[in-house]
Every structure is written in C-alpha cells, then in structure tokens.
Amino acid sequence: MKTEVAIIGGGPSGLLLSQLLNQAGVATVVLERSSRDHVLSRIRAGVLEAGTVDMLREAGVGERMAREGIPHEGCYLTDDDLMVRINFEELTGTSVMVYGQTEVTTDLYKAQDAIGATIIHGVEDVVIQDADSNAPYVEYTLDGARTRLDCAYVAGCDGFHGVSRKTIPADKRREFERVYPFGWLGVLSRTKPAHEELIYANSSNGFALASMRSETLSRYYVQVPLTDKVEEWSDERFWATLKSCLPSGVADTMQTGPSIEKSIAPLRSFVSEPLRWGRLFLVGDAAHIVPPTGAKGLNLAVSDVHYLYQALIDAVKKGDTAGIDAYSERALLRIWKAMRFSWQMTTMLHHFDGEDIFAAQMRKSTLRHLSQSETARRDLAENYIGLPF
Ligand code: APR
Ligand code: PHB
C-alpha cells in the first residue's frame, strides 16, 4: 500500500490529524490496533480549551459539541469549606467547554467515515521502518497477512504504550518523568452534578474532583493510594469519602447513586524529547503524559496536532519543510508550560505520603492566597483555559 502520511493510532490525536490532512487533500492511512468499540469505550476526561474547540471546529466536528457541550465560565478550588471561584470569563475573557473525550473521538470517527478515510482496525505488530530515510514505510499484520505501507511521513499517535516513541533510538531520546505516589479513583454515575461548575477539592481528607458529562451524568474522582484495588471500593465507601472532601454545603445536598463505571488511574508527568526523528513525528500521549489535575491531556494532544498538520501539508504539497523542521521545538515550548501547570495543580491539591504539617500548611496558604489575590487567580485561569499556541 502507499500513502502520504501513515498515522499510527486511532485515538483523538491520530483522528484529528488525519481529518485535517484529508481536508487539505493529503492522503493518510490510520492504523489502530484495537477495535473502534474498544477505543470508544475508554472513559477519559472532558474539559476542552478554547484553542481545542477552535481546532475541532476547523476539522468540521464542531456541530454536536456546540449542541451538547457545556460552556463553563469558571471552576472552584476548595479547601474544606473555603471555596475559591476562578472566574475564567472575568479574568481572561474566555471560557472552557465541558464535552467528553469519548464524544470528541466519536465525532472524529464519523467525520472521517463521511470523507471515506482509510482507518484500519485490528492491526498487529506495527513496525516503523527507515524513519531516518527519505522513504519510510510501516509494516503490520492484519488477519494474519503481513502488509507494507509506503509513505512520505509517519505520525506516531499511538499513546504512551505505543511503538512510535520506542522507534526513536534510546540514545536519541531524553525522557523526563515524575510518578506521583497516588492515583485517582474515578466514578461515573447517572446523577445530577454536585455543582454547576467543576470543584477541585483539597481537604483534610485528601483530594477530590467533582466534574460532569451532562446535566444527568456526573464524573467524580478521589485520591487513593496506588496500592488500592477497585474491588476494595464499594459505592458507599466512595460517596462517603467524596463527601468528606467536598465543602459541606455541596456534600450535604449532592445526589448519589450506583456507579456505572469505576476505575483507578495512576498519576504521572512524562515528556520524551525530541518529538521528531527523521520522518517520524510524535503526537500526544506518545510523547507526553500529564496528571489529569490540570485537564491538559487531550488539549496537549490537540496542541501538537495544531503545530504538525499545517507543517505536513506544506511539506507534502509544496516540499516546504520549515514547519516540520520547527515542529518539535515549537510543540515542546507549549508542552512544558502545560507540564508545569499540571504539576503545580497536582502538588497544590494532593496529600503526599509522609508529608509533614508544613506541607499541608503550604497547600492551605496557597489556596488562601488564591482567594485573596486576583493576580494569582488570573495566572491559574490563563493556564487552565489554555495558553496561546
Ligand atoms: N499499533 C496501532 N495502534 C496502537 C498501537 C500500536 N502498536 N499502540 C497503541 N495504539 C493505539 C491505541 O489503541 C489508542 O487507540 O493508539 C491510540 C492512542 O490513543 P490515546 O492513548 O488516546 O492517545 P492520543 O490520541 O494521543 O490522545 C491523548 O488520550 O489518554 C488520553 O489524557 C490523554 O486525553 C489524552 C488523550
Ligand atoms: C473529567 O471530567 O473527567 C475531568 C475534568 C477535569 C480534570 C480531570 C478530569 O482536570
């Protein structure tokens, strides 16, 4: 087979890149190891920066998001009963959009189908060959048949556990990592959200997040030790812990109910540099992971696509390589800013094992400062809604 850009991974970054390239007349083939149902069954976050909303509109998948997404003009950071509202609209003139990553991925698959894009599911043993040459190709197995896909460029959109990053020789890579000593236990429930805006709660009982997917579908998280197992957490225990972390005014009135999804996710900050090796470009989770506290995971993947898609169009259509030559450096500048913000939010809102009372007091003082300093709130708001591309 032959194409212009081979895209490894049919998650949000691979699909968005493929859609934007196809719209510009650049041919792509998306190779995804899982079935479409499996990709769409993953519960992921759902806060979209303004820049991400614009990119999705540009890709022609803005209609359902506009209809079903919920614009949020602010969020809350709380410390027991101290509630600090971060008014995005007032502080930055911009808001965010609450719209699940699963919905974004669904819309992208629909848009790709509508233009007859080539997305191959169930591929195995993907190997990227000769990425450091002018004639890269990808080999994979499908239904037992080994296939070769010749291409001009390869986009590695295959997430943290994919093959793309590992295709870059270890001595050509620099990896930065922080693994946090706790995870997030997340629950999805068909209940009315506890509050009309998100609440990031630091409390004497640990961290919690109250989020939502719609007016009738809520998403909650509590901080748990990494050793915990989902089976150890009954719904009763989850709701009791969540309520102990949220401001009493919210906890006393919130609706609870049976969980329809429950899972534990570890927290990690990770960056692999560079994002390019020859004609291979890393995008999204293949190159970086953020803890979910800053709601940057999906937005950073879209940010990478923002820097890469036009660059690839110029390279394929005009042979102009200025954009692809600058991709890694440009994308990393924004990645590190989001890394810092996500690390800051995580350290500011979570209990660390063995921490002393001084550390706890620092969290309290940081939140009190936020409640008293418009400058501090504006800094947080600017980072949360998304720094300029
Ligand atoms: N061959 C083909 N496909 C692969 C391979 C492989 N060897 N390895 C992984 N994949 C597929 C996965 O099955 C997955 O569907 O690549 C896709 C990667 O998708 P994501 O992990 O969602 O990564 P990305 O598209 O970069 O989206 C980043 O996802 O994890 C969240 O918080 C993260 O929101 C961020 C977003
Ligand atoms: C979510 O809705 O799942 C969510 C929202 C904000 C975050 C993380 C997760 O920071």
Side-chain angles (χ1 to χ4, degrees):
M1 283 174 68
K2 192 166 179 47
T3 190
E4 289 171 318
V5 181
I7 298 177
I8 320 296
S13 61
L15 295 169
L16 179 61
L17 180 63
S18 179
Q19 177 71 7
L20 290 163
L21 292 176
N22 294 163
Q23 282 182 330
V26 174
T28 61
V29 170
V30 176
L31 301 174
E32 166 57 49
R33 94 175 143 197
S34 307
S35 68
R36 187 174 291 198
D37 290 350
H38 179 75
V39 172
L40 293 174
S41 69
R42 293 187 203 116
I43 302 283
R44 296 267 175 81
V47 175
L48 309 182
E49 296 175 349
T52 295
V53 169
D54 295 343
M55 287 283 291
L56 293 173
R57 283 201 190 110
E58 190 174 333
V61 290
E63 196 264 327
R64 191 164 75 101
M65 175 178 60
R67 205 174 55 238
E68 298 176 14
I70 317 168
H72 273 208
E73 297 186 354
C75 75
Y76 285 83
L77 273 70
T78 64
D79 177 28
D80 292 329
D81 281 353
L82 169 69
M83 292 185 74
V84 184
R85 181 161 188 258
I86 309 296
N87 184 330
F88 307 140
E89 200 59 45
E90 189 187 284
L91 294 162
T92 70
T94 307
S95 58
V96 296
M97 175 76 82
V98 171
Y99 187 63
Q101 175 171 322
T102 313
E103 309 316 319
V104 170
T105 312
T106 303
D107 296 343
L108 286 167
Y109 271 121
K110 209 153 155 259
Q112 284 271 272
D113 291 348
I115 59 176
T118 308
I119 303 176
I120 305 174
H121 285 276
V123 299
E124 297 166 291
D125 304 329
V126 168
V127 178
I128 301 166
Q129 303 282 18
D130 296 356
D132 58 344
S133 77
N134 289 339
Y137 61 98
V138 179
E139 291 175 318
Y140 60 92
T141 299
L142 183 67
D143 306 331
R146 195 73 183 149
T147 308
R148 173 178 169 137
L149 170 63
D150 287 289
C151 52
Y153 297 101
V154 181
C157 303
D158 48 355
F160 186 74
H161 302 289
V163 294
S164 300
R165 185 177 68 255
K166 299 173 192 122
T167 301
I168 303 179
D171 63 350
K172 297 280 187 296
R173 276 188 274 139
R174 239 175 128 216
E175 298 194 345
F176 306 78
E177 186 167 42
R178 172 70 80 251
V179 176
Y180 300 92
F182 40 72
W184 276 15
L185 169 63
V187 156
L188 196 64
S189 62
R190 292 196 198 292
T191 53
K192 182 175 173 304
H195 202 271
E196 74 267 7
E197 291 181 336
L198 272 64
I199 297 179
Y200 291 88
N202 165 60
S203 80
S204 29
N205 300 308
F207 168 83
L209 168 62
S211 180
M212 74 281 292
R213 292 288 174 274
S214 72
E215 313 300 336
T216 57
L217 194 57
S218 297
R219 180 70 167 159
Y220 298 106
Y221 302 92
V222 296
Q223 171 183 352
V224 295
L226 274 176
T227 48
D228 273 20
K229 299 277 174 290
V230 171
E231 307 72 58
E232 297 163 356
W233 281 84
S234 66
D235 284 1
E236 291 64 40
R237 183 183 176 199
F238 177 83
W239 292 120
T241 304
L242 176 67
K243 286 184 172 188
S244 74
C245 295
L246 294 174
S248 51
V250 174
D252 298 348
T253 56
M254 68 177 288
Q255 186 190 4
T256 64
S259 60
I260 58 174
E261 191 273 349
K262 193 187 290 179
S263 55
I264 294 179
L267 269 65
R268 163 207 320 259
S269 294
F270 173 86
V271 178
S272 179
E273 295 184 354
L275 303 188
R276 178 198 183 171
W277 188 60
R279 291 189 171 216
L280 169 62
F281 300 87
L282 301 185
V283 179
D285 278 19
H288 45 78
I289 300 285
V290 283
T293 331
K296 292 298 177 211
L298 176 62
N299 294 301
L300 264 188
V302 172
S303 175
D304 293 350
V305 172
H306 169 84
Y307 292 113
L308 185 59
Y309 87 101
Q310 193 57 53
L312 282 172
I313 293 168
D314 295 346
V316 169
K317 293 285 181 189
K318 298 184 278 180
D320 168 2
T321 63
I324 57 175
D325 296 345
Y327 166 66
S328 183
E329 198 183 330
R330 293 178 71 201
L332 280 167
L333 278 177
R334 197 164 185 278
I335 289 165
W336 278 111
K337 291 174 185 170
M339 276 295 144
R340 182 203 67 79
F341 175 66
S342 304
W343 165 81
Q344 180 198 19
M345 286 281 280
T346 303
T347 46
M348 181 168 79
L349 292 166
H350 290 77
H351 286 213
F352 286 73
D353 297 351
E355 69 175 20
D356 59 16
I357 53 172
F358 181 81
Q361 203 53 31
M362 281 304 98
R363 278 199 304 280
K364 278 187 157 324
S365 307
T366 304
L367 286 159
R368 190 156 302 115
H369 175 60
L370 264 176
S371 69
Q372 292 159 352
S373 161
E374 182 176 307
T375 307
R377 289 196 300 279
R378 180 171 287 110
D379 174 59
L380 196 149
E382 284 173 355
N383 280 278
Y384 196 92
I385 57 115
L387 296 170
F389 285 132

